[in-house]
Amino acid sequence: MLLLLFPLMILLLLAVGGGAWRLGADWLPLTQTGLAFHGVLMVNGFFATLISCERCAALGDRRGWLVPLCGLLASASLWWQPALAAPLYALLALGMTLVSALLWRRQPQDFTLLLVLACAALLLGNLSWWLAGMDAAVLRAWVVFLVLTIAAERLELSRLLPKPLWARRLFLVLAWALLAAPWLPFGHLWLGAALIGLGAWLLRFDIARRTIRGTGLPRYVAACLLAGYGWLLASGLLWLLGVSPDMALHGVLLGFVMAMVFGHAPVIVPALLNTGCHFHKVLYLPLGLLQLGLLGRPFWPQLSAYLTSLAIVAFMLSFLAVQLAGRRQAR
């Protein structure tokens, strides 16, 4: 697992640098490939491959690690044979779907089934990209994969809080609506409505509403989650109104998904590496920079690109520093 983290961080930097370059912030020297495939590298190269690592660790079968290796191979092919990237990323999504299905058989619950369906959405999106080319439906399928994966994992944790039966049923209805949205006529309207519904559900029923009153790491994680849910609502509204599609897309990918990464990394990464979990208040700084960068995107795109890039790089460095310092103190 540790060997895979380094190339994943490189892919994340290339994806972030490519997106920043498009807004005039050329802080990272990029090849044409890194620029042209910025979204592909972010969703498939980084997020999907990282999530596949988490699933393989949960499965506990060494053969499962062929799945993230396929993702890294697909990302590398963008530089030497771009035509291979789409089928290889489809193979990554297929592997993720199969691994998730095995985990669902081991633990047959609603949230594990939704994780399978989220991977199936990625598979359909990547197959469509391979066979028919990139279009809005593919982008929406990628959004569905990321949002439903995170929402399903939050559904698992929300079991700790009592809730009425209708709330659980409503979540499942919203999840199915989200899954169908990319392929329906006027898909952006369906997607927007489903995102608003899920964002409101998570704000109402997620345990973060209670843990935000705590201290230390639980409070930090809750702050990341609640900020992300706010961006999910905002992005859904933009899609529903049919305005600012760039802001709607990046509100999900940066405002929601990246905030989830900031919040979950201090818990998940140490668990995957079998090390201690450490926290420091300095991790709030990248979270704040991310919010400022996104808020400024419609008005000062170049400044926004620098701020969001700085937020992600600062999080990577500060997270590493906090973990190393914590390990030294624990000795």
Side-chain angles (χ1 to χ4, degrees):
M1 175 64 192
L2 185 60
L3 293 176
L4 295 178
L5 285 180
F6 180 73
L8 284 173
M9 294 304 102
I10 296 298
L11 290 173
L12 175 59
L13 286 175
L14 288 171
V16 172
W21 196 95
R22 293 185 178 195
L23 297 180
D26 52 348
W27 59 271
L28 179 67
L30 285 168
T31 63
Q32 185 64 27
T33 301
L35 174 62
F37 294 102
H38 133 77
V40 174
L41 287 170
M42 179 65 84
V43 176
N44 284 283
F46 176 69
F47 284 127
T49 308
L50 180 64
I51 291 168
S52 73
C53 290
E54 182 187 359
R55 301 288 163 79
C56 291
L59 184 65
D61 189 327
R62 291 183 178 180
R63 292 171 294 181
W65 291 99
L66 291 172
V67 177
L69 288 176
C70 180
L72 293 179
L73 179 61
S75 299
S77 73
L78 290 170
W79 274 265
W80 55 272
Q81 194 61 260
L84 290 176
L88 285 173
Y89 279 134
L91 191 59
L92 163 69
L94 175 61
M96 292 178 66
T97 305
L98 294 175
V99 170
S100 298
L102 291 173
L103 293 172
W104 170 62
R105 286 186 62 188
R106 184 185 296 174
Q107 188 180 7
Q109 299 286 339
D110 288 341
F111 71 90
T112 51
L113 177 59
L114 290 176
L115 291 174
V116 178
L117 296 175
C119 293
L122 177 66
L123 175 59
L124 288 176
N126 287 346
L127 286 173
S128 179
W129 170 34
W130 178 25
L131 299 174
M134 184 68 68
D135 60 14
V138 173
L139 292 176
R140 290 196 289 265
W142 290 353
V143 167
V144 168
F145 158 65
L146 292 170
V147 171
L148 191 57
T149 295
I150 294 168
E153 292 177 346
R154 298 311 305 173
L155 176 65
E156 176 192 10
L157 294 174
S158 73
R159 293 183 300 171
L160 301 173
L161 290 178
K163 62 179 69 60
L165 180 60
W166 65 263
R168 193 172 190 85
R169 290 176 175 172
L170 175 61
F171 184 97
L172 296 176
V173 169
L174 292 169
W176 282 105
L178 185 67
L179 282 164
W183 318 108
L184 295 174
F186 306 103
H188 66 285
L189 300 180
W190 292 101
L191 180 63
L195 292 180
I196 290 173
L198 276 175
W201 193 98
L202 290 166
L203 277 173
R204 171 64 180 83
F205 294 108
D206 195 280
I207 196 172
R209 290 185 62 199
R210 293 191 178 184
T211 54
I212 192 66
R213 306 186 193 116
T215 59
L217 180 59
R219 184 184 181 94
Y220 166 76
V221 173
C224 293
L225 294 174
L226 295 175
Y229 300 157
W231 281 110
L232 194 63
L233 279 169
S235 295
L237 182 61
L238 291 175
W239 255 308
L240 192 61
L241 296 176
V243 298
S244 190
D246 173 80
M247 191 65 196
L249 179 63
H250 288 86
V252 172
L253 295 181
L254 292 176
F256 175 67
V257 179
M258 196 57 70
M260 299 300 111
V261 173
F262 284 14
H264 288 104
V267 178
I268 293 176
V269 173
L272 290 175
L273 299 179
N274 197 26
T275 62
C277 179
H278 307 288
F279 169 75
H280 191 277
K281 290 182 179 179
V282 71
L283 294 177
Y284 278 105
L285 178 59
L287 179 63
L289 288 173
L290 183 68
Q291 309 310 307
L292 289 174
L294 278 166
L295 289 171
R297 189 178 181 94
F299 312 105
W300 307 284
Q302 187 179 45
L303 177 61
S304 166
Y306 278 119
L307 285 174
T308 51
S309 300
L310 178 61
I312 294 170
V313 174
F315 175 78
M316 293 168 63
L317 295 176
S318 59
F319 173 74
L320 179 61
V322 167
Q323 301 312 308
L324 291 176
R327 289 186 66 182
R328 282 198 299 269
Q329 291 177 0
R331 289 175 181 172

